Amino acid sequence: MNHLSLALTFIAAPWLLWIFYTAAMRLKMVRDAGLLTPAMKVFGYPSLAFGLALDLFVNVIVGSALFLEPPREWTLSGRLWRLSNGAAGWRQKLALAIRSALLDAIDPKGVHKG
């Protein structure tokens, strides 16, 4: 794997995942408000599928390298939730930092549980 591939994997993939996460949370808010149109579904639902595939990839590759453990969950969100509510240590601190800096405020519930 060359340097460009590593950069794309460890920088671009999590960044894209965050963009898809913010879009998914907004779609959820629109759906919950009863305002989701058929046109939004045509564009939104395929993006949810792509975002889920990206989430699986980032969890396995980036998440495993970041937390120095194989994944137990399918998604990075699930891993972050488990680690942030697990045993005290560096993994918990890192998971909490990621959740609080990037995910919790965007989740309509205020806490992203994965």
Side-chain angles (χ1 to χ4, degrees):
M1 193 178 255
N2 64 35
H3 294 326
L4 180 58
S5 297
L6 281 173
L8 288 174
T9 299
F10 287 92
I11 296 171
W15 176 68
L16 284 173
L17 180 58
W18 185 79
I19 290 171
F20 276 92
Y21 166 73
T22 59
M25 292 300 106
R26 182 61 184 149
L27 278 173
K28 181 179 178 359
M29 291 171 67
V30 170
R31 183 202 64 198
D32 292 349
L35 301 172
L36 195 63
T37 67
M40 290 176 189
K41 291 177 184 179
V42 167
F43 284 97
Y45 288 169
S47 70
L48 293 176
F50 182 83
L52 179 58
L54 184 60
D55 197 350
L56 299 173
F57 173 80
V58 171
N59 186 37
V60 170
I61 304 299
V62 179
S64 295
L66 192 62
F67 292 106
L68 300 176
E69 67 170 17
R72 297 182 197 167
E73 300 79 12
W74 286 100
T75 65
L76 185 61
S77 292
R79 183 192 294 229
L80 292 172
W81 181 253
R82 173 180 57 84
L83 291 173
S84 65
N85 290 286
W90 69 269
R91 285 185 180 99
Q92 182 191 43
K93 289 178 185 174
L94 181 57
L96 278 169
I98 292 169
R99 269 192 40 225
S100 63
L102 295 171
L103 306 177
D104 286 349
I106 293 170
D107 193 301
K109 296 176 202 153
V111 175
H112 187 65
K113 294 186 178 182

